[in-house]
Amino acid sequence: MTEGRKKNKLPLTEDRLIYLVSMAQNRLQSLLRSALGAEGIKVTPAQSGILFLLKRKDGLTMTELGKALAIDNATITGLVDRLERDGFVRRNKSASDRRALNISITPQGIEEVNRAKIVIKRVNESIKTGFSAGEIETFKKILLNIVKGAGGK
């Protein structure tokens, strides 16, 4: 085993949970980006999240998208800019608030997110390999508790 490989191997007793969750997040995002790209899908995992939301409820504002995805306004703006540039969404002036913009998914965006959904589902299933149904349920419970806040509140 090379020295570089030893450095990247984590001990089984690793207990820095924030570090492990962060490393897992990075690894999963990389895996997902690679799988999407291999299928010729142009959107990133973050962009696909926006498209999934808009497909479910079109016309959300940037603030609503940011809250739903736990992403700050500056990041949402950049993601929507790229989605708009690529023809997947369009900005529309809000009828109720002239300062706000509603983001709408285009037919091209619907097609792209439908293609992405197939790949994301396949990747999601592949990461469960080797784990029992009970282990997966326990892991989901732990993740949901983290998302909800300490103690699941």
Side-chain angles (χ1 to χ4, degrees), residues 89-113:
V89 301
R90 67 178 171 273
R91 289 176 165 97
N92 303 304
K93 291 182 182 179
S94 171
S96 60
D97 181 352
R98 62 186 172 125
R99 296 167 296 167
L101 294 172
N102 297 102
I103 311 304
S104 295
I105 191 168
T106 65
Q108 185 180 351
I110 291 171
E111 183 180 318
E112 187 79 353
V113 78

Side-chain angles (χ1 to χ4, degrees), residues 128 130-142:
K128 295 177 188 178
F131 296 99
S132 71
E135 288 172 322
I136 292 167
E137 286 306 310
T138 299
F139 186 59
K140 284 172 26 181
K141 184 177 180 182
I142 291 166

Side-chain angles (χ1 to χ4, degrees), residues 60-102:
L60 295 172
T61 65
M62 301 278 236
T63 300
E64 291 168 328
L65 289 169
K67 282 183 182 179
L69 295 171
I71 298 174
D72 63 69
N73 284 343
T75 302
I76 283 290
T77 299
L79 291 168
V80 170
D81 285 348
R82 288 185 290 284
L83 286 168
E84 185 177 38
R85 178 197 67 207
D86 293 338
F88 298 129
V89 301
R90 67 178 171 273
R91 289 176 165 97
N92 303 304
K93 291 182 182 179
S94 171
S96 60
D97 181 352
R98 62 186 172 125
R99 296 167 296 167
L101 294 172
N102 297 102

Side-chain angles (χ1 to χ4, degrees), residues 12-136:
L12 292 177
T13 58
E14 181 64 63
D15 66 353
R16 296 178 294 166
L17 297 181
I18 293 170
Y19 171 76
L20 289 173
V21 169
S22 176
M23 293 302 290
Q25 164 76 6
N26 291 342
R27 174 70 181 114
L28 291 172
Q29 290 295 316
S30 176
L31 179 66
L32 192 51
R33 273 191 307 275
S34 177
L36 290 168
E39 295 293 328
I41 296 167
K42 296 177 185 174
V43 294
T44 65
Q47 290 171 328
S48 69
I50 292 171
L51 294 178
F52 281 123
L53 287 171
L54 293 173
K55 185 178 174 196
R56 190 174 345 136
K57 185 178 180 191
D58 202 28
L60 295 172
T61 65
M62 301 278 236
T63 300
E64 291 168 328
L65 289 169
K67 282 183 182 179
L69 295 171
I71 298 174
D72 63 69
N73 284 343
T75 302
I76 283 290
T77 299
L79 291 168
V80 170
D81 285 348
R82 288 185 290 284
L83 286 168
E84 185 177 38
R85 178 197 67 207
D86 293 338
F88 298 129
V89 301
R90 67 178 171 273
R91 289 176 165 97
N92 303 304
K93 291 182 182 179
S94 171
S96 60
D97 181 352
R98 62 186 172 125
R99 296 167 296 167
L101 294 172
N102 297 102
I103 311 304
S104 295
I105 191 168
T106 65
Q108 185 180 351
I110 291 171
E111 183 180 318
E112 187 79 353
V113 78
N114 287 342
R115 292 177 57 229
K117 182 179 181 178
I118 294 166
V119 175
I120 292 167
K121 186 174 184 176
R122 185 178 69 231
V123 170
N124 194 59
E125 289 304 312
S126 76
I127 63 174
K128 295 177 188 178
T129 303
F131 296 99
S132 71
E135 288 172 322
I136 292 167

